[in-house]
Amino acid sequence: MLFRAGVPRHAIIKKVANEDISCLADLISVLSKLSSGARVPLEYMSHTDRHRKKSVLVTIDRHEWYAPPQLYTRNDSSGLWDVKPAIEPAAVLPSVGNNGLPMCQNTTLCHHDTEPIHEVDVRGVTDTVATTEASSGDSSQNDFGSEAKKQRVEDDSSDGTVANGSLYGSELRSDDAMATDNLVLRDYESATALSANASLAERAIEPALVMFEVHVPPSCSLDGVHSQHFFGTGIIIYHSSNMGLAVVDKNTVAISASDVMLSFAAFPVEIPGEVVFLHPVHNYALIAYNPSAMGPASASVIRAAELLPEPALQRGDSVYLVGLSRNLQATSRKSIVTNPCAALNIGSADSPRYRATNMEVIELDTDFGSSFSGALTDEKGRIRAIWGSFSTQVKYSSTSSEDHQFVRGIPIYAISQVLEKIITGGNGPSLLINGVKRPMPLVRILEVELYPTLLSKARSFGLSDEWIQILVKKDPVRRQVLRVKGCLAGSKAENLLEQGDMVLAVNKMPVTCFNDIEAACRTLDSGSHSDENLNLTILRQGQEMELVVGTDKRDGNGTTRTINWCGCVVQDPNPAVRALGFLPEEGHGVYVTRWCHGSPAHRYGLYALQWIVEVNGKKTPDLNAFADATKELEHGQFVRLRTVHLNGKPRVLSLKQDLHYWPTWELMFDPETALWRRNILKALK
C-alpha cells in the first residue's frame, strides 16, 4: 500500500484519511475504518526534510497481496517478537468493488506486507524501497515520457490538496455534483474544439485513448517480471454500459497479478482496471474497467475506437501515429510504413520473462522514440495497429547485460478476433467481469518457436527448386521459409520437431509466415471434428517428410497461483522458462522465481532460477505436490531439498524452516470473485 503510493522508508506519517496520526494506535484505528479498495490521502514527512510535508493518495489493496495488518511485540523472555492481529476480524469492513458496492463481507480489510519488501534478481537482492527514496525528489521528464518505462513516478500532490474518498464506483449524486460534472464536461468539449492544430485522426481517436499506470506487488513478482512499476498508452476497443475493454502491450501489463489504474484522455477520471486476458504469444493484454465508475458525465465523451483489421497495411502506406504524453495530451504525427511484416527476434533474458515470439510487426520511417506507445490509424482515426512497447535485454558480455525497450506496430486483426470471442462468449472457463460471468476464449497454438529464412539461404540447406517456386507463388513479397528455432519443453511438438527443420506446408497448404500457422490452428477449432493435430510437411537435413504434430490450448489468465515457502516464491514453470527447451526429468518440479532478503531461503542459498524437484525425498512435480510435502514440515525442522538449475546442474541442500516469521502461504486467483486470495498453508498455532 505505502510502496505503491511512493512513501519512502523512514517516512513519518502525520495524517491518514485527514485524521492525525501520533502513534501506532491512531494508525490502527484509522485503518480499521477503511474498506478494501478505498483511496484516501496520506500526509508524511521525511527525517531528511523535516520542514516540508508531502501528500499522496494511498489505495487500500482490494486483492490480498499481503497478510492483514499485524502487531509485533518484543518478548524478552523468549527472544522473539510475538505477533497478533492489529485489527480484529469483526472490525473488517467489506471490500469496495469497481462499481462502488461492497463485494464480500468476509474480505480482509487492508493488506500490509509483514516481510521486508525487496525485489530480487538472479544476482542477489535489490532494495526497491531505497530506489523509491532516491527518486522521491523532483524529476523532470519530457511530454513523451522519454525516460525508461520502468522508472518510478512520484505521486506527490503539487498543490498540497488531495481528494478524499474513493474513485471506485458510482454513488448517488447531488444536483451540485451533477452541475460540476456538466461544467467539467463543457470545459473538456471546449478544449477539444479549440485544438485547431490537431489532425482529424487525433481528434477521432482521442476519446479512446487511456493512460495505464501498473504496479506489480513485490510479494508476487511472478514470471520473471523485471520491474514493479510500468506505464503506457492503451486503446479502448469496447465500451458499453456494463463493460469496457482496453488493449495495451505486455511491456506495460506484464502479468495478471497487478494493480492497474486507468486515466482517460477525454475525461478527468482515474479508475481501476482488471487484467482479463494476456495473450500467450502476442504482445498485448486486455484490461476490463467498469464504465459506471466514471459517472454519467463521461458517457458522451468516452467511446471505443473503430477497428479496421482489413485490408492489411502495405509498404508505403500513410498512417497516423497517435498516443498520449505523460500529461494526458493527445499527440500525433503522420508516418510511412517501411516494413509491414518485420519478424521479431528477441533473445531470452538472464531471468526468463515474456518475450514476443512468432510475431510480425510494423515498422515506420519516423516515430516519437522508444517509450511512446499508442496506435496507428488511418486519416479517419480507425485503428490499423497498436503501437506497442517490447522488452529485450542487451548482453554486453557473459556477466553484463542491460534492459532495453523498443516500439513497433502490432496488427489489429489478431486483437479483433479475441475481442469478438469475449463479447459473444468464448470456449473457455468463465471469468467474473464487473459482476457478470463471461466465457473467455482459449487460444490454440503450436508451441514451437519459429524464425524466417530467405529462400536464397534455404536453397543452400537443400530446399528444392520446386518448393522455392511454390513458396514464391504463395508469397511473392516475403520470399521466405519458416524454420524451427526450438520447441517449448513439455509441448506436444517437443519430441517431433527438431531445431533447423523447415516447415513447408500445413495440411498440404504452403506456409510462409507465422499467420499461416495461426490460421491453420484456428481451423481446427472451427471444424466439426475434434482433431487437435496438424499435418506438417517439413524438410530435415535435405529430406522431405510428413509429421503429425499436436497443438495445445492456452487461456489468457497467465500465472494464477504461487506459493511462498521459507521466503522463496515458487510457481509452475512459465512459458518463458519452457521456451529454453529444458525441464528436469524428475517430473519437472516447481520453479523458484524469487527469494526474499533475510529469509531461510536467503540464509541457506535457495536462490531463483532453479526447480525444486524433491522435498525430503518426496517428488514435487507440481504445486499441489509441493504444498502437500511442505505441510508435513514442522517449525525448526531441517529439510533436505533436491534442486536442478536452469543450466541443468543438480544440487542438494538443507534448509531450516522458520514458521514464526516465514509462514507458508499461497496466493491464488479466484475466477468466481475476480480477486487474488491469500491462504495460509502452514504457520505456528
Side-chain angles (χ1 to χ4, degrees):
M1 179 182 76
L2 300 180
F3 175 82
R4 176 182 173 184
V7 179
R9 179 182 293 180
H10 307 308
I12 303 171
I13 299 176
K14 305 298 291 184
K15 287 186 178 181
V16 176
N18 297 323
E19 295 191 27
D20 293 329
I21 305 297
S22 59
C23 59
L24 277 178
D26 293 341
L27 179 61
I28 293 173
S29 175
V30 173
L31 292 178
S32 66
K33 304 173 186 176
L34 301 177
S35 58
S36 298
R39 303 192 75 195
V40 296
L42 180 145
E43 185 180 289
Y44 73 93
M45 58 184 293
S46 172
H47 70 283
T48 59
D49 189 8
R50 295 175 297 169
H51 305 292
R52 185 173 60 171
K53 296 179 181 179
K54 298 182 180 181
S55 297
V56 296
L57 275 176
V58 295
T59 303
I60 309 300
D61 294 323
R62 288 199 316 116
H63 300 283
E64 299 177 3
W65 306 130
Y66 307 113
Q70 294 177 322
L71 191 62
Y72 284 82
T73 306
R74 189 181 65 190
N75 188 328
D76 293 332
S77 60
S78 65
L80 299 174
W81 287 78
D82 296 334
V83 60
K84 66 177 183 179
I87 302 174
E88 296 298 328
V92 173
L93 298 179
S95 173
V96 176
N98 287 358
N99 58 359
L101 300 176
M103 297 182 59
C104 176
Q105 296 295 332
N106 297 324
T107 304
T108 305
L109 164 67
C110 167
H111 312 291
H112 291 270
D113 196 0
T114 59
E115 304 161 359
I117 300 178
H118 293 276
E119 179 186 5
V120 183
D121 60 16
V122 296
R123 296 174 295 275
V125 182
T126 302
D127 192 343
T128 56
V129 180
T131 305
T132 304
E133 289 182 309
S135 62
S136 62
D138 296 333
S139 59
S140 61
Q141 193 168 22
N142 62 24
D143 284 346
F144 303 142
S146 60
E147 297 183 16
K149 181 182 286 286
K150 65 180 182 179
Q151 175 189 338
R152 286 208 55 80
V153 179
E154 185 180 10
D155 197 12
D156 244 351
S157 175
S158 58
D159 57 1
T161 60
V162 182
N164 188 9
S166 171
L167 292 178
Y168 294 65
S170 57
E171 303 174 353
L172 295 177
R173 309 178 67 84
S174 65
D175 293 339
D176 291 341
M178 291 295 294
T180 301
D181 277 351
N182 292 333
L183 179 60
V184 171
L185 177 60
R186 287 196 298 270
D187 290 343
Y188 258 66
E189 290 174 344
S190 300
T192 302
L194 291 175
S195 301
N197 294 329
S199 64
L200 175 62
E202 183 179 323
R203 293 196 297 268
I205 196 62
E206 184 177 14
L209 294 177
V210 58
M211 179 65 73
F212 283 83
E213 186 170 0
V214 182
H215 293 265
V216 178
S219 63
C220 49
S221 297
L222 307 175
D223 295 350
V225 61
H226 60 290
S227 182
Q228 292 175 315
H229 185 207
F230 301 88
F231 62 88
T233 302
I235 310 297
I236 300 173
I237 57 176
Y238 182 79
H239 186 84
S240 66
S241 59
N242 56 10
M243 183 179 69
L245 290 174
V247 61
V248 71
D249 59 76
K250 288 175 67 173
N251 197 29
T252 301
V253 178
I255 60 175
S256 55
S258 305
D259 287 314
V260 183
M261 297 300 296
L262 289 74
S263 300
F264 298 83
F267 193 77
V269 66
E270 185 182 37
I271 62 173
E274 295 294 339
V275 182
V276 296
F277 188 85
L278 291 167
H279 198 281
V281 177
H282 294 310
N283 182 30
Y284 74 86
L286 298 182
I287 313 300
Y289 62 89
N290 194 339
S292 64
M294 297 184 290
S298 64
S300 61
V301 293
I302 295 178
R303 61 177 181 270
E306 182 181 354
L307 307 184
L308 189 63
E310 299 292 342
L313 286 172
Q314 303 294 327
R315 182 179 180 183
D317 287 350
S318 296
V319 293
Y320 287 86
L321 171 57
V322 187
L324 289 178
S325 63
R326 290 298 308 280
N327 57 0
L328 298 183
Q329 296 298 313
T331 306
S332 67
R333 74 180 307 162
K334 191 174 183 179
S335 300
I336 304 297
V337 176
T338 57
N339 190 349
C341 51
L344 288 177
N345 183 19
I346 301 176
S348 179
D350 293 335
S351 179
R353 62 175 185 257
Y354 169 77
R355 57 187 178 93
T357 59
N358 298 352
M359 279 190 67
E360 288 186 342
V361 294
I362 300 166
E363 295 179 343
L364 302 179
D365 59 344
T366 55
D367 56 33
F368 285 117
S370 62
S371 62
F372 183 88
S373 55
L376 300 182
T377 75
D378 62 6
E379 67 279 359
K380 297 181 180 179
R382 296 175 295 186
I383 303 293
R384 307 297 304 275
I386 67 170
W387 191 246
S389 175
F390 293 79
S391 175
T392 184
Q393 189 176 76
V394 178
K395 297 182 180 180
Y396 301 107
S397 66
S398 59
T399 58
S400 176
S401 61
E402 185 177 356
D403 290 330
H404 283 263
Q405 64 181 23
F406 61 93
V407 282
R408 295 292 187 272
I410 305 171
I412 200 65
Y413 62 79
I415 301 172
S416 61
Q417 294 166 358
V418 172
L419 173 63
E420 181 180 359
K421 292 180 180 180
I422 293 179
I423 297 174
T424 60
N427 56 342
S430 296
L431 177 66
L432 187 69
I433 303 178
N434 296 339
V436 179
K437 286 188 176 181
R438 298 179 181 271
M440 300 301 290
L442 296 176
V443 180
R444 184 178 296 279
I445 59 176
L446 180 66
E447 290 196 320
V448 178
E449 186 174 351
L450 304 167
Y451 68 97
T453 296
L454 294 176
L455 293 178
S456 58
K457 299 288 185 183
R459 185 190 298 271
S460 302
F461 286 97
L463 185 62
S464 65
D465 290 340
E466 180 183 0
W467 269 110
I468 290 177
Q469 293 175 6
I470 292 174
L471 296 178
V472 169
K473 183 179 179 180
K474 165 71 168 58
D475 192 342
V477 175
R478 292 181 176 85
R479 295 175 178 265
Q480 66 186 23
V481 64
L482 297 179
R483 303 191 70 184
V484 175
K485 187 175 183 179
C487 299
L488 271 69
S491 67
K492 296 178 181 178
E494 181 181 14
N495 298 320
L496 296 174
L497 293 175
E498 297 179 1
Q499 185 177 0
D501 288 348
M502 295 185 190
V503 182
L504 306 178
V506 177
N507 297 334
K508 304 300 181 181
M509 299 295 294
V511 295
T512 59
C513 63
F514 306 128
N515 191 39
D516 293 340
I517 304 290
E518 294 178 7
C521 291
R522 290 194 299 269
T523 302
L524 296 180
D525 288 331
S526 61
S528 57
H529 53 82
S530 59
D531 189 9
E532 297 184 352
N533 300 322
L534 295 175
N535 298 314
L536 301 185
T537 303
I538 67 169
L539 184 71
R540 178 180 297 169
Q541 298 179 355
Q543 300 295 321
E544 185 178 324
M545 60 180 64
E546 301 286 334
L547 291 178
V548 178
V549 181
T551 57
D552 296 270
K553 279 188 175 182
R554 294 290 178 260
D555 57 32
N557 297 331
T559 300
T560 57
R561 185 187 181 192
T562 180
I563 294 178
N564 189 304
W565 175 72
C566 289
C568 72
V569 181
V570 300
Q571 63 172 91
D572 287 323
N574 56 298
V577 174
R578 296 173 55 226
L580 299 178
F582 168 75
L583 287 176
E585 297 179 357
E586 298 86 346
H588 297 177
V590 293
Y591 179 69
V592 181
T593 186
R594 286 289 192 272
W595 52 273
C596 299
H597 180 74
S599 65
H602 179 203
R603 294 197 299 271
Y604 291 92
L606 180 59
Y607 299 132
L609 307 187
Q610 55 186 324
W611 290 273
I612 300 176
V613 296
E614 285 185 9
V615 175
N616 279 351
K618 294 185 178 180
K619 293 186 180 299
T620 55
D622 52 37
L623 286 178
N624 288 331
F626 182 79
D628 292 339
T630 54
K631 284 179 182 178
E632 300 176 359
L633 307 176
E634 300 300 331
H635 173 65
Q637 179 179 347
F638 276 93
V639 185
R640 184 175 180 269
L641 302 176
R642 187 167 183 267
T643 66
V644 178
H645 196 268
L646 275 182
N647 57 17
K649 183 182 297 184
R651 182 187 177 208
V652 176
L653 61 91
S654 295
L655 179 150
K656 184 178 180 181
Q657 182 167 246
D658 180 4
L659 293 177
H660 183 82
Y661 297 111
W662 301 93
T664 304
W665 52 270
E666 70 173 350
L667 191 67
M668 182 183 299
F669 180 75
D670 181 8
E672 297 296 323
T673 60
L675 291 174
W676 287 80
R677 300 293 188 185
R678 180 187 177 104
N679 303 313
I680 300 297
L681 301 181
K682 184 78 172 183
L684 286 180
K685 297 180 180 179

